[in-house]
């Protein structure tokens, strides 16, 4: 079946503009994660959604970052007033969460490469 | 919280050699340890995982070992091929978190 999809694949924006990044998880997966990956760096956790529970926003770097997940499926990550340091690849992952907490495999999308000029 | 250290950051080998990547973790409650492979321009993909009730797991040329006492786990790739070239990430999930902690990644280069 289809994997996790993200759009756009690339986004170039000017400093100060707002951007929206979209993630379509695997159908039926209840958990959804957003990560940020800067050039040559590891995966920085941003936010986690699980079903109808309140999201875990503990990784969001500032109040310019927000995310929502509508109907328990598609998620949108919004960055307001973008800064050059926001330039990175933003990865989305989903997980079925059918097993024990923290033990389910994450399936990653291809990412959105964001460049802030 | 959990802390995962991954070494080396870069590993260069000749085709046919073996490659070993090591990770240590801090939380003794961690019970799930996946390894992901990230090719250029793509998202990470799971290649193998191990749970805390076993010490070793193999899948063809790939194996993972876990030492719970020492709190470290390793990825072993035998008979490396150029297509194994990628960035490899380890991760650990502790018993109380839905959010795995990732290592910083190892760039593996296999020279033909």
């Amino acid at each position: 079946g289809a994997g996790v999809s993200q759009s756009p694949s690339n986004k170039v924006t000017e400093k100060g503009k707002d951007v929206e990044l979209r993630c379509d998880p695997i159908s039926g997966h209840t958990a959804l994660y957003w990560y940020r990956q800067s050039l040559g760096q590891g995966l920085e956790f941003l936010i986690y959604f699980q079903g109808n529970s309140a999201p875990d926003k503990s990784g969001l770097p500032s109040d310019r970052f927000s995310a929502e997940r509508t109907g328990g499926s598609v998620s949108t990550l919004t960055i307001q007033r973008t800064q050059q340091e926001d330039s990175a690849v933003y990865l989305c992952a989903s997980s079925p969460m059918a097993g024990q907490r923290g033990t389910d495999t994450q399936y990653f999308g291809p990412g959105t490469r964001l460049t802030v000029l | 919280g959990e802390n995962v250290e991954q070494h080396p950051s870069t590993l260069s080998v000749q085709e046919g050699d073996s490659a070993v990547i090591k990770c240590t973790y801090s939380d003794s409650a961690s019970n799930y340890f996946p390894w992901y492979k990230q090719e250029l321009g793509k998202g990470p993909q799971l290649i193998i995982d191990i749970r805390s009730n076993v010490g070793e797991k193999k899948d063809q040329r790939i194996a993972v070992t876990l030492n719970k006492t020492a709190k470290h786990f390793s990825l072993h790739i035998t008979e490396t091929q150029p297509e194994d070239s990628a960035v490899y990430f380890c991760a650990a999930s502790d018993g109380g978190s839905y959010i795995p902690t990732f290592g910083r990644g190892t760039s593996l280069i296999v020279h033909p």
Side-chain angles (χ1 to χ4, degrees):
Chain A
V4 177
S5 61
Q6 293 186 244
S7 61
S9 55
N10 281 284
K11 176 71 177 178
V12 180
T13 190
E14 293 179 349
K15 177 182 174 181
K17 295 287 182 66
D18 298 351
V19 295
E20 284 190 352
L21 312 179
R22 176 187 169 106
C23 172
D24 283 86
I26 294 173
S27 178
H29 281 195
T30 59
L32 187 147
Y33 303 77
W34 282 98
Y35 294 90
R36 179 168 69 176
Q37 186 174 33
S38 301
L39 186 64
Q41 300 298 309
L43 300 171
E44 177 188 4
F45 165 74
L46 297 177
I47 189 169
Y48 160 76
F49 296 90
Q50 166 55 23
N52 295 321
S53 302
D56 183 330
K57 305 178 182 181
S58 60
L60 294 178
S62 78
D63 59 7
R64 296 186 297 105
F65 288 72
S66 63
E68 61 178 24
R69 189 179 185 191
T70 53
S73 181
V74 172
S75 177
T76 302
L77 177 69
T78 300
I79 309 174
Q80 296 179 311
R81 305 180 303 282
T82 52
Q83 303 295 312
Q84 289 184 328
E85 58 263 30
D86 299 334
S87 296
V89 174
Y90 289 83
L91 292 163
C92 173
S94 70
S95 172
M97 291 304 292
Q100 296 176 354
R101 61 192 300 176
T103 61
D104 278 291
T105 300
Q106 295 187 328
Y107 297 83
F108 285 84
T112 293
R113 180 174 297 278
L114 175 66
T115 303
V116 182
L117 301 177
Chain B
E2 177 66 278
N3 182 50
V4 176
E5 301 281 343
Q6 183 172 348
H7 300 280
S9 57
T10 305
L11 180 58
S12 182
V13 300
Q14 289 297 126
E15 182 176 2
D17 288 350
S18 294
V20 181
I21 303 170
K22 299 181 179 180
C23 288
T24 61
Y25 61 98
S26 60
D27 189 341
S28 57
S30 289
N31 55 16
Y32 178 60
F33 308 91
W35 285 90
Y36 291 85
K37 175 184 181 182
Q38 186 176 28
E39 297 177 333
L40 197 62
K42 298 183 178 180
Q45 302 297 315
L46 179 78
I47 55 171
I48 195 167
D49 57 12
I50 192 167
R51 301 181 192 273
S52 59
N53 57 343
V54 298
E56 183 176 4
K57 183 177 179 180
K58 289 189 69 174
D59 183 3
Q60 300 183 341
R61 297 186 297 108
I62 294 172
V64 57
T65 58
L66 172 64
N67 184 325
K68 288 195 67 180
T69 302
K71 289 189 281 191
H72 67 70
F73 56 111
S74 300
L75 177 70
H76 304 252
I77 306 174
T78 59
E79 301 172 26
T80 53
Q81 301 168 3
E83 52 264 39
D84 294 330
S85 296
V87 178
Y88 292 80
F89 291 97
C90 64
S93 295
D94 66 46
S97 171
Y98 293 98
I99 304 162
T101 301
F102 285 83
R104 294 177 64 85
T106 295
S107 177
L108 173 65
I109 304 167
V110 181
H111 299 281

